[in-house]
Amino acid sequence: MFWKRMFGKKPAAEQTAPEQEPEQLQEQQQEEQHEQSVEEEQQKSSGFFKRLVSGLEKTKQQFVSKVEQITTGRKVDESLFEELEEVLIQADCGVTTAMFLVDQLRDRAREEKITAAEELRKVLMEEMVALLEKNAAPLKTPEESPYVIMVVGVNGAGKTTTIAKLAYRFKQENAKVLLAAGDTFRAGAIEQLGVWAQRLNVDLIAHQEGADPAAVAFDAVNAAKARGSDVLILDTAGRLQTKVNLMSELAKVHRVVQRELGRDLDEVLLVVDATTGQNALSQGKIFAEAVPLTGIALTKLDGTAKGGIVLALANELDLAVKLVGVGEQYEDLQDFDARSFAAALFGETQE
Amino acid sequence: MAFQNLSSRLQETMRKLRGKGRLSEKDVDQALREIRLALLEADVNYKVVRDFIGQVKERATGHEVLSSLTPGQQVIRIVNDELTKLMGGTQAKLTLSSRPPSVLMMVGLQGAGKTTTAGKLARMLKGQGHRPLLVACDIYRPAAIKQLQVLGEQLEIPVFSMGEQNPVDIAKAALSHAQKFNNDVVLIDTAGRLHVDEELMEELVQIKAAVNPSEILLVVDAMTGQDAVNVAESFNTRLELGGIILTKLDGDARGGAALSVKAVTGKPIKYIGVSEKMDGLEPFYPDRMASRILGMGDILTLIEKAASAVDQEKAEKMAAKLKEAEFTLEDFLDQIGQMKEMGPIDQLIGMIPGLSSAKHLKGLEVDDSHLKKIEAIINSMTPEERRKPEIIGGSRRKRIAQGSGTKVQDVNRLLKQFSQTRQMLKQFSGASKGRRRKGMFSLFQ
Ligand SMILES: Nc1nc2c(ncn2[C@@H]2O[C@H](COP(=O)(O)OP(=O)(O)OP(=O)(O)O)[C@@H](O)[C@H]2O)c(=O)[nH]1
Ligand SMILES: [Mg+2]
C-alpha cells in the first residue's frame, strides 16, 4: 500500500505543487503556530514554497543572463570554449571534468559543423545532462520491509537534516519510519536527531553518547523488524574520509546492518555539501571503498554554490545524485533533476 | 584522478627546464600553467588564480630570473613567496578588548564548524588564564544549544543559554552575565546561515550592534570550493570581519579556500582546526598553507611537531627513512613511543613532500588501542628480528606471540602490515627516484 503510493506516483517534490502557496500562506497566518507534529507543521511551509518559487526564478534568470552573455551573437571559436570552461570551473566542476566536457563540445562542434554559439549552448547542456544521467537512478524501489537507508558523509555535510527530510517524505506516504541515532560521537548529535523524530512523530532508536555505533545499528535493524517498520534510516557520525579508523568503523556498521538484515541495504547515500570543492572527489572515492554507495544527496543548493562537483563525481567516479537539499526544513528535499541542475550551473557568477 | 600532486608535475616541467640552463618566457608560461592547474585543483577561486598568475608572471619573466643560473628554482621560489605573502605576512592573534569582557563572535555557513571551534577557542583562552563564557545563540538547528552545553561541560567552561529566545537578547544578556560573573571573554556561537539569507544576516548585524564584539570570526570549511569568495565577501561586507578560522584541515583538502577568502577580505586567517577533538586548534602559518595548497607537503610543520616531541635530529632522520623506505620495526617501535606527542602517523605522512598524495599508505595508520599490543609484540623481538622482519618464521612468531601475550595472528597481522607499508613506500620512492636528490627541498634552499 505504502510502496505503491510512494513509488507508483510522481516524485514527492512534484506533489507539493507551488500553486498551493496562497492558500497555505493564509492558513498559516490565521493559525497560531504549533511545533509538535507534521500535520500542524505543514501549514508552516510557506518558507519552502517561497524558496522553491524564488529558487526557480533565480535559476531561470541566471541561466538566461550568463549563457546569453557568453553565447549571444558570437561565432564558435577557441575563446568561446575557454570561457565555457571557465564557467564550469567556477561552478566547481574541476579542471579535469571541465576540460572533458569542453573537449566533447569541440569535437561535436567540428563534426556537426556548429558555428553559432547559441547552438553550442544546447549541445553543452545535452552533454552535461548525459553525464549527470549516466548512472542516475531514483531511490531504489522497495521490495522488502524494512527499506533501509544508511546516510554517510563528512562532518557538517547535512546528513542528519537529510534524514529528517527523508523521514518526512516517507511519512507523507504513510510509511512507518524508524530513525537510528548512529552518531554517538558528536556532542548533541543524538538529541538533534531526537528533536527531528519528535517533530515528525516517528520512532527513534538511540543509545548513549559514546556508545558503539554498530550496536545502535544492530538494535535498529532488529527493532525495525520487530515493530514492522516500513523504513529504517540510519544516521552516522560525520567523518573525514582520511581517518582510517573511522572509515573502518563505518564499514563495520554497514556490515552489521547487512548481516542483521540478511541482505543488502536499499540505499547507502553519501551526503555532499554543494559548497564543497574538489575534495568531494576524495570523499566519493574513499567512502565508496568503505561502504557500497548507491548515490549522492547534494545539500545546501539553496545557497549560491552551484554544486558542479557532482559533474566530476559522475565523470570520474560514476556516482550519481539522487536527491538535493534546498533548505533547512524537512520539506526542503527534491529529487534530482539533471536538466534544471545543469541550467542552474550556468547561472550568473558574481563579477 | 585530479589529485596528482604539483611537486611531481612541476618536477617534470622543471627537469626539462633545468636541462636548458636558461628559460625563455615560453618556458615560464609552461611552468605557470602547471601552477595554475594546481591552484584550481586546490579550489583556489578562479579569479584569484588569474590575478595571482599574472603577478607571478610579471616577476618571473624579469631579467633577473631568466638570466639566473637556476631559473626553475627561482620560479618556484617566487610562486611560494607570493603565495605566502598573499596569505598574510605573519600569524595573527585574537583581538581582545582592553576593557573586558571582550566579545568574540563566530559566524559562517551551516556545517562549517562554528560550535566546535567556539569550544576550542574557549579551551585555548582558558589555558591562557582567561575566564571565557560560551554563549549559545544558535536557536535554529535542533540541539545546537545542547551541543555547546556538552562541550562546555567537557571543558569545564560555563555556557550561557536562554533557550530559543531572540539571539540578540541572548547575546545582550550574556554580556551582562559575563560582567557580573567576571568572565573576561565572551564567545558567541551563532547559527549557521547562508550569506544570501537577508533576514538571518540582518540578525548578525543586530547582534553585532548590541554587543560590540572586539572581533568577528568567519569560520570556513577547508573543503569549500569556488563559492568561498562569495561567502567571505558577503559576511565581510555586512559585518566587517576581524579574522578567519579555517576548519577540517586534518583531512586531505588542499584548502585553496584559504587563499580565496584572504584575497577577497584582506582579513587574516588566525587559526586552523585540525581535529574533531577540543585540542585540535592550531595557529595559522601562511608559508605552510602555501606549500599545502601547492601540494608540496608541510615539512615545516612535521619538523616542528617532531621537535616538540623528540629531538629534531631523530625526527629528520625518521622523515628521511620514511622517504627512503628504509625504516625498520625498530623505528616503528620508536615511532610508537613518540606518536602520541607527534600526532597520528597518517597526518605526518601528509606533511612529507611527495608522500602527501600517496593516500594508499593507510597501513601506517595505527589505532591507539592497538598501540600497546604492537609495542608488546615488537618488544618481544630480538634486535635482529626488528631490523630484518623477513627472518621471522613460524616458530619465531609463536615465541613472539607468547612473549608478548598476544596471538600468533596478531604477530602475523603486524608483520604483514609492516611489509606492505614498506613495499608501498619502496614503490613510491622508486617512482620518484630521479627527483629524490634534487627534490623540492633543494629547490627551496
Ligand atoms: N541552507 C541549507 N542548510 C542545510 C541543508 N542541509 C543541512 N543544512 C544545515 O547544515 C547544518 C549541518 O547539518 P547537519 O544535518 O547537522 O549535518 P551533519 O552532516 O549531520 O553534521 P555532523 O553530524 O555534525 O557531521 C545544519 O545547520 C543544517 O540546518 C540545506 O539543504 N540547505
Ligand atoms: Mg549529524
Side-chain angles (χ1 to χ4, degrees):
Chain A
M1 159 76 170
F2 143 67
W3 300 128
K4 267 243 293 289
R5 285 224 257 145
M6 181 65 204
F7 294 94
K9 288 202 302 193
K10 51 189 175 161
E14 282 174 48
Q15 288 168 13
T16 48
E19 288 87 77
Q20 294 166 6
E21 183 185 24
E23 256 178 59
Q24 300 240 353
L25 263 174
Q26 275 168 14
E27 277 179 40
Q28 187 215 338
Q29 278 153 5
Q30 284 158 12
E31 270 188 30
E32 277 301 305
Q33 293 184 8
H34 296 286
E35 298 281 325
Q36 290 318 314
S37 70
V38 175
E39 290 70 26
E40 282 159 337
E41 278 217 16
Q42 273 172 20
Q43 319 300 335
K44 290 180 38 183
S45 46
S46 67
F48 167 61
F49 291 118
K50 251 194 321 211
R51 259 195 299 272
L52 187 64
V53 172
S54 71
L56 290 174
E57 270 166 11
K58 197 174 80 182
T59 304
K60 206 165 126 204
Q61 251 174 25
Q62 287 179 341
F63 178 67
V64 171
S65 55
K66 185 70 186 186
V67 174
E68 275 196 359
Q69 203 180 306
I70 294 184
T71 55
T72 302
R74 258 175 88 171
K75 285 256 170 308
V76 172
D77 57 15
E78 193 45 37
S79 73
L80 177 68
F81 288 121
E82 266 166 33
E83 278 173 53
L84 289 172
E85 187 180 304
E86 185 180 320
V87 173
L88 290 169
I89 290 173
Q90 289 199 41
D92 289 318
C93 295
V95 179
T96 311
T97 298
M99 282 183 351
F100 165 79
L101 279 167
V102 171
D103 280 347
Q104 273 182 320
L105 267 193
R106 272 199 198 90
D107 290 350
R108 284 192 57 180
R110 198 178 330 107
E111 280 161 24
E112 297 164 31
K113 304 203 169 27
I114 300 170
T115 52
E118 285 90 342
E119 244 175 283
L120 204 61
R121 169 172 99 208
K122 261 188 280 160
V123 177
L124 179 54
M125 276 290 283
E126 277 170 35
E127 292 297 332
M128 290 203 304
V129 170
L131 186 56
L132 290 167
E133 286 180 344
K134 191 169 64 163
N135 294 290
L139 282 184
K140 196 186 142 205
T141 308
E143 283 153 9
E144 226 178 301
S145 286
Y147 182 79
V148 179
I149 306 179
M150 179 175 177
V151 178
V152 304
V154 296
N155 313 77
K159 292 174 293 298
T160 308
T161 312
T162 301
I163 288 168
K165 293 170 180 177
L166 280 166
Y168 171 73
R169 179 188 270 211
F170 286 113
K171 170 109 201 210
Q172 286 295 91
E173 302 301 325
N174 292 323
K176 196 170 165 210
V177 179
L178 180 66
L179 302 182
D183 182 355
T184 55
F185 179 79
R186 207 207 63 202
I190 296 169
E191 288 83 353
Q192 184 185 357
L193 193 67
V195 170
W196 284 119
Q198 203 180 11
R199 282 190 194 167
L200 294 164
N201 197 15
V202 300
D203 285 354
L204 174 77
I205 295 290
H207 290 190
Q208 297 289 315
E209 191 178 318
D212 178 4
V216 178
F218 178 93
D219 278 1
V221 176
N222 288 300
K225 285 199 228 164
R227 299 179 192 184
S229 308
D230 298 309
V231 179
L232 166 65
I233 315 178
L234 180 67
D235 195 7
T236 61
R239 67 200 75 215
L240 296 181
Q241 69 277 14
T242 48
K243 311 263 163 150
V244 180
N245 295 340
L246 297 181
M247 294 311 283
S248 39
E249 175 196 272
L250 194 68
K252 180 176 162 201
V253 170
H254 178 266
R255 264 198 314 277
V256 167
V257 175
Q258 210 173 26
R259 193 188 62 211
E260 291 310 302
L261 207 55
R263 59 175 167 88
D264 279 342
L265 286 72
D266 295 279
E267 293 282 350
V268 181
L269 297 173
L270 176 69
V271 176
V272 175
D273 181 333
T275 47
T276 314
Q278 302 310 299
N279 191 253
L281 280 171
S282 166
Q283 293 169 25
K285 185 165 173 287
I286 301 178
F287 270 99
E289 283 165 13
V291 291
L293 298 178
T294 57
I296 286 169
L298 186 66
T299 60
K300 310 186 195 174
L301 258 187
D302 46 330
T304 53
K306 303 292 192 300
I309 191 61
V310 300
L311 281 163
L313 286 167
N315 185 33
E316 296 186 40
L317 299 176
D318 290 335
L319 279 169
V321 187
K322 295 200 166 184
L323 300 162
V324 298
V326 291
E328 299 189 79
Q329 304 308 315
Y330 51 64
E331 310 96 326
D332 301 340
L333 185 73
Q334 298 174 4
D335 288 315
F336 179 69
D337 174 44
R339 191 153 286 279
S340 56
F341 178 86
L345 205 89
F346 281 106
E348 191 124 66
T349 48
Q350 284 169 23
E351 258 325 307
Chain B
M1 289 288 295
F3 289 123
Q4 203 205 352
N5 136 337
L6 175 71
S7 36
S8 48
R9 281 198 316 228
L10 261 187
Q11 217 71 47
E12 192 58 38
T13 312
M14 287 303 162
R15 191 158 40 232
K16 284 186 216 140
L17 298 187
R18 215 181 287 129
K20 295 173 101 175
R22 260 156 212 254
L23 292 192
S24 69
E25 201 173 320
K26 226 176 92 208
D27 294 332
V28 173
D29 280 346
Q30 197 186 332
L32 288 181
R33 249 200 308 278
E34 290 296 338
I35 290 162
R36 172 180 172 274
L37 224 61
L39 293 175
L40 286 173
E41 278 171 6
D43 292 320
V44 182
N45 180 266
Y46 193 89
K47 286 179 198 119
V48 176
V49 172
R50 200 169 53 195
D51 295 349
F52 177 75
I53 293 291
Q55 259 165 327
V56 170
K57 189 175 174 188
E58 214 166 275
R59 267 190 69 185
T61 47
H63 174 73
E64 206 182 317
V65 174
L66 294 183
S67 60
S68 134
L69 285 175
T70 52
Q73 296 167 32
Q74 297 271 13
V75 172
I76 297 185
R77 190 197 294 269
I78 291 170
V79 170
N80 198 61
D81 280 0
E82 292 286 321
L83 210 53
T84 307
K85 214 170 9 165
L86 244 180
M87 252 166 328
T90 46
Q91 158 215 349
K93 293 260 178 291
L94 288 177
T95 313
L96 296 180
S97 160
S98 54
R99 288 193 304 143
S102 308
V103 178
L104 303 176
M105 216 172 128
M106 321 291 298
V107 303
L109 295 181
Q110 292 96 339
K114 290 170 295 301
T115 310
T116 309
T117 306
K120 289 176 179 177
L121 276 178
R123 177 187 175 275
M124 183 192 79
L125 287 163
K126 187 182 169 195
Q128 295 168 355
H130 291 281
R131 291 170 42 83
L133 175 70
L134 286 161
V135 184
C137 276
D138 181 355
I139 59 164
Y140 305 101
R141 208 204 66 199
I145 299 172
K146 174 77 186 180
Q147 184 184 356
L148 196 65
Q149 282 166 342
V150 172
L151 294 181
E153 215 166 288
Q154 276 171 22
L155 298 167
E156 295 178 347
I157 289 171
V159 175
F160 184 89
S161 64
M162 281 169 40
E164 294 173 7
Q165 297 191 39
N166 183 340
V168 183
D169 296 337
I170 300 175
K172 270 196 256 181
L175 191 56
S176 22
H177 179 96
Q179 274 153 351
K180 202 153 105 209
F181 290 88
N182 241 332
N183 297 109
D184 62 341
V185 188
V186 177
L187 283 142
I188 301 182
D189 179 30
T190 66
R193 65 203 72 213
L194 292 171
H195 54 294
V196 287
D197 189 327
E198 195 35 54
E199 214 173 292
L200 286 183
M201 290 303 281
E202 181 56 32
E203 177 192 286
L204 290 179
V205 172
Q206 281 176 21
I207 296 178
K208 178 183 178 180
V211 297
N212 187 26
S214 52
E215 174 137 81
I216 300 180
L217 295 160
L218 177 68
V219 179
V220 180
D221 187 325
M223 297 180 277
T224 314
Q226 297 285 316
D227 204 39
V229 290
N230 299 328
V231 175
E233 190 158 42
S234 306
F235 274 96
N236 191 40
T237 310
R238 292 302 292 268
L239 297 165
E240 187 66 52
L241 302 171
I244 289 149
I245 296 180
L246 210 61
T247 61
K248 308 182 198 172
L249 271 164
D250 44 333
D252 59 353
R254 296 265 294 281
L259 192 57
S260 306
V261 296
K262 173 72 215 231
V264 297
T265 63
K267 296 295 152 60
I269 298 166
K270 299 203 163 180
Y271 292 95
I272 59 172
V274 293
S275 154
E276 286 186 81
K277 307 219 175 79
M278 283 297 114
D279 57 359
L281 190 73
E282 293 180 357
F284 174 78
Y285 295 104
D287 47 347
R288 295 173 188 181
M289 197 64 213
S291 60
R292 178 179 181 134
I293 290 175
L294 286 172
M296 301 197 298
D298 198 347
I299 200 71
L300 289 171
T301 305
L302 171 68
I303 288 174
E304 185 173 275
K305 273 200 172 177
S308 64
V310 287
D311 60 302
Q312 177 149 338
E313 204 179 314
K314 227 174 180 176
E316 275 169 358
K317 253 190 222 147
M318 178 61 69
K321 276 184 168 173
L322 279 173
K323 271 175 78 186
E324 305 283 335
E326 275 164 10
F327 79 119
T328 65
L329 277 167
E330 221 155 40
D331 300 321
F332 205 41
L333 188 63
D334 234 33
Q335 187 72 38
I336 289 168
Q338 298 154 13
M339 195 125 52
K340 283 201 186 88
E341 321 296 321
M342 288 176 66
I345 196 164
D346 59 334
Q347 264 182 39
L348 298 182
I349 284 178
M351 295 169 189
I352 298 170
L355 282 186
S356 56
S357 65
K359 304 270 163 43
H360 50 273
L361 286 175
K362 279 179 197 162
L364 272 177
E365 219 254 3
V366 183
D367 187 334
D368 271 1
S369 66
H370 292 162
L371 284 184
K372 277 211 178 74
K373 215 186 242 176
I374 293 174
E375 224 166 346
I377 293 174
I378 302 179
N379 273 327
S380 296
M381 296 177 183
T382 66
E384 198 195 1
E385 286 167 346
R386 291 180 205 169
R387 274 191 298 272
K388 278 189 254 161
E390 309 80 73
I391 65 168
I392 307 177
S395 61
R396 285 179 193 245
R397 286 179 196 215
K398 223 180 270 166
R399 191 205 77 232
I400 293 167
Q402 254 165 15
S404 57
T406 58
K407 298 202 192 85
V408 175
Q409 291 96 292
D410 294 324
V411 179
N412 289 344
R413 195 174 321 124
L414 172 66
L415 289 173
K416 192 166 159 214
Q417 202 184 29
F418 181 76
S419 90
Q420 280 172 347
T421 304
R422 200 145 71 155
Q423 195 57 36
M424 279 188 281
L425 283 170
K426 213 169 261 165
Q427 276 169 9
F428 192 84
S429 52
S432 60
K433 234 184 200 105
R435 73 170 141 107
R436 211 182 311 140
R437 299 265 106 67
K438 285 210 178 238
M440 294 311 284
F441 284 121
S442 57
L443 286 172
F444 275 105
Q445 268 135 34

